[in-house]
Amino acid sequence: MQINDISIRTTIKPGDLGYIIHRHGKLYGEEYNYGVAFETYVGEGMHEFYKNYNPEIDRAWICEHNDKIVGFVLLMHRENKTAQLRYFYLEPAYRGLGLGKKLMSLFMDFFYKKGYQSAYLWTTHELSAAASLYTKHGFKLTESKKSIAFEKPLIENRYDLSTTP
């Protein structure tokens, strides 16, 4: 399989958001032992995203292969020309193909095209491959805090990107 076999769409269809919530819960439960609280956190964020969704300034990138969702990321508008990167996920079999880099490029292109001045995201210390991808695109670690939000001890990390000095 190659990255060219994967299509990426930005139109949200019925079932997409629920599926992403489900896969986040399942995948992060299996890979990182996150509890149900993580899945509900994703669900709340997805509800917030769609409730405030404006296709002119918000975007979801949905990766599909053989009519199955295999990856996802979204850009959610916030106040003061700020964007939030959320719910970056790739199915294990689709990692290492360059799909994560492609999604980050699409995110960054949209970010600049729409005139955002800053972006941020929250992740955990366990997701080092993702953190590496973020820092390669100019995000900097700005905050770390201990947490048990996902039913296990971890460190939540905030990364920020600014287009102004």
Side-chain angles (χ1 to χ4, degrees):
M1 169 187 19
Q2 299 176 19
I3 193 167
N4 294 340
D5 299 330
I6 300 162
S7 63
I8 302 175
R9 64 179 162 84
T10 57
T11 304
I12 300 169
K13 298 178 185 176
D16 287 346
L17 302 183
Y19 185 77
I20 298 305
I21 295 165
H22 163 77
R23 288 306 298 152
H24 265 77
K26 191 95 171 115
L27 202 59
Y28 284 74
E30 291 169 357
E31 293 185 349
Y32 300 102
N33 201 32
Y34 289 5
V36 174
F38 177 72
E39 188 173 353
T40 62
Y41 165 80
V42 174
E44 289 167 356
M46 282 293 191
H47 174 74
E48 179 191 5
F49 170 73
Y50 197 72
K51 183 174 68 172
N52 300 310
Y53 179 66
N54 176 343
E56 290 298 313
I57 56 175
D58 296 305
R59 182 69 33 110
W61 291 271
I62 303 153
C63 305
E64 291 180 312
H65 184 242
N66 295 332
D67 295 321
K68 179 184 168 200
I69 295 175
V70 299
F72 185 88
V73 70
L74 66 78
L75 181 151
M76 183 173 183
H77 78 275
R78 297 297 190 180
E79 293 181 350
N80 303 317
K81 295 193 176 230
T82 298
Q84 184 177 8
L85 185 153
R86 301 189 90 179
Y87 312 122
F88 200 144
Y89 118 95
L90 295 173
E91 290 290 340
Y94 293 83
R95 297 174 187 161
L97 302 174
L99 190 55
K101 290 177 186 165
K102 175 74 174 170
L103 286 173
M104 268 314 287
S105 291
L106 291 168
F107 177 94
M108 296 306 296
D109 290 347
F110 188 80
F111 170 85
Y112 286 115
K113 179 181 173 186
K114 295 300 176 178
Y116 283 104
Q117 293 179 351
S118 62
Y120 71 95
L121 64 96
W122 283 95
T123 189
T124 68
H125 73 285
E126 297 168 309
L127 302 174
S128 55
S132 174
L133 191 57
Y134 305 140
T135 57
K136 284 178 184 166
H137 283 86
F139 283 82
K140 294 185 180 4
L141 178 63
T142 57
E143 184 179 343
S144 294
K145 62 182 180 181
K146 290 181 180 179
S147 172
I148 55 167
F150 305 142
E151 301 170 38
K152 66 175 266 190
L154 50 81
I155 299 170
E156 292 184 58
N157 291 324
R158 178 179 165 133
Y159 288 82
D160 283 272
L161 170 72
S162 178
T163 61
T164 55

